[in-house]
Amino acid sequence: MRHPTRLAAATAVVTAGCVAALLPLAGPTSAATATATAATASCSVSYADTSDWSTGFTAAITITDTGATAISGWTLGYAYTGNQTLQSGWNGTWSQAGQQVTVTAPSWSSGIAAGGSYTTDANFGYSGANAAPQSFTVNGVTCGPSASAAPSASASPSPSPSPSPSPSPSASASAPTGSAPALHVSGNRLVDATGRTVTLHGVNRSGAEFSCVQGTGIFDGPVDQASVSAMASWGINAVRVPLNEDCWLGLSDVDAAYAGSNYIDAIKDYVSLLHQNGLVAVLDLHWTDGVYTGDSSACSSATATCQKPMPDAAEAIPFWTSVAETFKGDDSTVFDLFNEPYPDRAASTATQAWTCWRDGGTCPGIGYQVAGMQSMVNAVRGTGADNVLMLGGLAYANDLTQWLAYEPSDPDHDLAASWHSYNFNSCSSSSCWNSQIAPVLAQVPLVTGELGENDCGTGYLGSLLPWLDQEGASYLAWTWNTWDCSSGPALISNYDGTPTAYGAGFKAHLAALG
């Protein structure tokens, strides 16, 4: 985004007959595990009621193929005995008729590899008792209970029982809730160290990309525990932090108070605080060097004072080498290699633009040596860092049409596609998403690194967010800053978490997800 100048019930799965296990409910943060085998298929299933807020709960179901052959598809059926009512489900197609619940594998991830696992989740409302179901069917096969409860999981914050657009109360500096998950790529999913699917629902925290180079500080607004608690109160699990390469590298155009070790230490401290609160950090290279005055130029400066069409090789490679060395071993931190590429505005053809995107070097219409995505992947991996890497496509990361064809090589196979989606973008309709974006997220994890709308409303969110949920994609809204919404989508009007009208729509959606 350009800036203003001021700036997971129970489950089982089989291919041909499998005895599944009931996983009893054991309270707001309970988890249970059981294993079932059969002659032609073997699986295990875990059920966790990950949060309960008295009138609703979130069920997380993890299916593991413990056999020697892949499971090609599954349909789960079970019934509640109470009035549990499905509200929304993700990472699977959920439906309910009366007390009967059915979950089918999503089209984008219908199989589970031998030894692999898959997690699907849903929110339910209820009143009175919240008893666990007593039997299940998988692909029409009856499955009965045969398991004991595992130890309770650690506590996590309960979501608000119902979304509200009204201002939030001031957040207190509450104690951190726990460690963030360490992420890796498995097929087209992000997974934690146990193989459980992790879908990122978060926000951007703009400021560190422009405040330092503009001489006003390192961040724009507070980055203390109270401000992070306000974020967490919305139910987010990830924060994207845009960075400036000149500030990180301590170049001479930046005030020394906001550059080099001072800047790096501030970013390290903020990432640590996010992790202590259970939040994944996404570090994004946002503003870079290089003179560009062609189509869609944001500035004529050679320094990192605006968005350039591609990062410069002279500074971006040292930047990513240093960032990777700093956060190597911290797999709760994801690297977004470059914010919003637009070499297509400088090049004459799509082939030229995508080649520049991947290979860098001398690119048509760009007067400096470009750091391509492959060279930045190599810089990170050369340090031994195995962090997940996000790569945005062309047209300010809105165009992913040839992302798969030009995907860089990664020895760790930990690449994710980054997509930016705003109401004013070219690809802003469900027909475009289905034709251009869905094929990419069928192959690799998709993280919508930025989303929003410039009318300060929620109409675009109302169509985009359900589509992303249906497809199992991650998303991070722009932005957790108190700007005038008309100058760019701002989620809040106060750092205590008071939402704007646009922010209220996003907050309500997160509350519905639990």
Side-chain angles (χ1 to χ4, degrees):
M1 183 72 186
R2 294 193 178 190
H3 310 281
T5 56
R6 60 170 289 273
L7 313 160
T11 186
V13 57
V14 298
T15 51
C18 175
V19 179
L22 170 66
L23 301 169
L25 205 62
T29 55
S30 67
T33 302
T35 301
T37 59
T40 57
S42 181
C43 60
S44 68
V45 56
S46 66
Y47 173 91
D49 178 3
T50 59
S51 61
D52 192 310
W53 54 98
S54 300
T55 60
F57 65 96
T58 301
I61 303 165
T62 300
I63 308 160
T64 301
D65 182 355
T66 59
T69 58
I71 297 169
S72 60
W74 50 268
T75 298
L76 166 72
Y78 68 89
Y80 285 113
T81 57
N83 61 4
Q84 295 93 332
T85 303
L86 178 66
Q87 295 178 336
S88 61
W90 56 101
N91 297 326
T93 302
W94 289 73
S95 61
Q96 183 174 16
Q99 294 178 314
Q100 184 67 38
V101 177
T102 301
V103 191
T104 59
S107 59
W108 48 267
S109 184
S110 60
I112 303 175
S117 60
Y118 184 84
T119 301
T120 182
D121 315 76
N123 283 344
F124 289 85
Y126 77 98
S127 61
N130 184 18
Q134 296 299 305
S135 64
F136 304 88
T137 61
V138 176
N139 293 350
V141 177
T142 299
C143 304
S146 59
S148 59
S152 296
S154 59
S156 60
S158 298
S160 171
S162 61
S164 171
S166 60
S168 302
S170 297
S172 61
S174 58
T177 59
S179 299
L183 299 180
H184 286 293
V185 169
S186 176
N188 68 341
R189 298 174 294 127
L190 296 176
V191 299
D192 64 15
T194 68
R196 184 180 187 276
T197 297
V198 176
T199 305
L200 303 180
H201 297 138
V203 299
N204 284 260
R205 181 65 178 90
S206 183
E209 76 275 31
F210 65 82
S211 291
C212 56
V213 77
Q214 293 176 357
T216 60
I218 293 177
F219 296 102
D220 178 52
V223 288
D224 55 7
Q225 179 59 55
S227 66
V228 174
S229 294
M231 288 180 174
S233 72
W234 282 34
I236 70 168
N237 62 2
V239 176
R240 182 172 178 258
V241 184
L243 301 180
N244 184 299
E245 68 179 21
D246 284 9
C247 300
W248 183 279
L249 295 173
L251 301 189
S252 60
D253 58 296
V254 185
D255 187 326
Y258 312 132
S261 60
N262 291 329
Y263 184 86
I264 292 171
D265 288 345
I267 300 302
K268 287 168 60 179
D269 288 346
Y270 190 49
V271 168
S272 177
L273 181 61
L274 294 175
H275 289 346
Q276 292 168 28
N277 285 268
L279 305 178
V280 169
V282 179
L283 299 182
D284 149 52
L285 176 54
H286 214 84
W287 280 7
T288 57
D289 285 354
V291 176
Y292 176 73
T293 58
D295 186 17
S296 300
S297 172
C299 67
S300 59
S301 173
T303 58
T305 57
C306 70
Q307 170 77 29
K308 307 296 171 66
M310 284 294 289
D312 62 313
E315 308 298 351
I317 299 305
F319 170 87
W320 277 119
T321 299
S322 177
V323 172
E325 288 284 5
T326 302
F327 292 97
K328 179 170 60 178
D330 172 14
D331 292 332
S332 299
T333 297
V334 174
F335 300 155
D336 190 346
L337 294 183
F338 186 59
N339 174 42
E340 291 183 339
Y342 60 98
D344 46 305
R345 300 298 179 92
S348 300
T349 67
T351 297
Q352 289 177 340
W354 280 104
T355 300
C356 175
W357 179 87
R358 183 190 61 197
D359 299 338
T362 302
C363 293
I366 301 176
Y368 55 87
Q369 288 293 298
V370 166
M373 292 293 179
Q374 184 65 69
S375 63
M376 290 188 284
V377 171
N378 294 345
V380 172
R381 297 298 182 235
T383 68
D386 62 356
N387 304 65
V388 172
L389 306 180
M390 290 166 52
L391 287 68
L394 302 186
Y396 300 96
N398 184 243
D399 177 5
L400 300 184
T401 52
Q402 297 190 51
W403 194 99
L404 293 173
Y406 285 85
E407 179 183 359
S409 173
D410 176 22
D412 291 343
H413 304 289
D414 269 327
L415 302 185
S418 177
W419 182 49
H420 290 191
S421 185
Y422 291 92
N423 60 313
F424 50 82
N425 288 143
S426 296
C427 190
S428 58
S429 66
S430 59
S431 59
C432 183
W433 307 334
N434 289 330
S435 64
Q436 296 186 13
I437 308 305
V440 178
L441 61 80
Q443 298 296 320
V444 296
L446 181 85
V447 180
T448 309
E450 293 183 14
L451 62 83
E453 49 188 292
N454 62 354
D455 58 4
C456 302
T458 60
Y460 189 61
L461 297 186
S463 59
L464 175 64
L465 295 180
W467 188 87
L468 293 171
D469 292 333
Q470 173 187 311
E471 299 296 332
S474 297
Y475 46 85
L476 312 169
W478 187 272
T479 176
W480 191 273
N481 293 78
T482 57
W483 304 335
D484 180 351
C485 187
S486 63
S487 66
L491 292 162
I492 55 172
S493 59
N494 190 292
Y495 285 103
D496 65 3
T498 301
T500 61
Y502 155 69
F506 187 69
K507 180 182 179 183
H509 186 84
L510 295 180
L513 292 179

